[in-house]
Amino acid sequence: MDIRRFTEADFEQVQDIYQQGIATGNATFQAQRKSWLQWQSSMIEDTTLVITQHNTCSTPQLLGWAGLSAISSRDIYSGVAEISIYVATDATGRGVGKKLFKALIEHSETLGFWTLQAAIFPENSASIALHKSVGFKVIGRREGLGKMQGVWRDVILLERRSTVVGL
């Protein structure tokens, strides 16, 4: 498996994996894939990584992606970001998410981020466990944060403070 920075050429595969997450009903409040412009405006530039695997074909298969979104436009929060991480359905349970997550944490620290945060549906126990395995701590629960298909959904808030940036 190889981890590298996301390029525009990865966009369709990234959105296919994102769509798999949307289809679960437990990965995001988002109901549809993002357009290229929506993607560009939602992700912090140069923070998205992809993980690929070479198969028998010449084109590497994209197994997952992870990236950062700004939590605020205020300068004081410039080192705090929300993480998104998605692994292809057929790649789960193989350590792909953890390997990608560790690389994104390291990459985020080289960019000066001191806190990463996440908001995860409580039903997504695999994602919560993955976040905890790389040092995230549960800091609370937001009840009825948003409505999906007529049902108010809670989210579990998690964060990870860097041990090398912002000390």
Side-chain angles (χ1 to χ4, degrees), residues 4-14 36 39 48-50 62:
R4 61 173 172 74
R5 287 189 180 174
F6 164 86
T7 68
E8 188 174 349
D10 299 317
F11 183 67
E12 283 305 313
Q13 288 185 78
V14 162
W36 176 246
W39 172 268
T48 302
L49 301 177
V50 295
L62 203 126

Side-chain angles (χ1 to χ4, degrees), residues 73-95:
S73 60
R74 295 175 61 195
D75 286 342
I76 192 71
Y77 297 113
S78 64
V80 182
E82 182 174 359
I83 186 161
S84 294
I85 183 164
Y86 288 81
V87 174
T89 304
D90 61 357
T92 59
R94 298 181 4 210

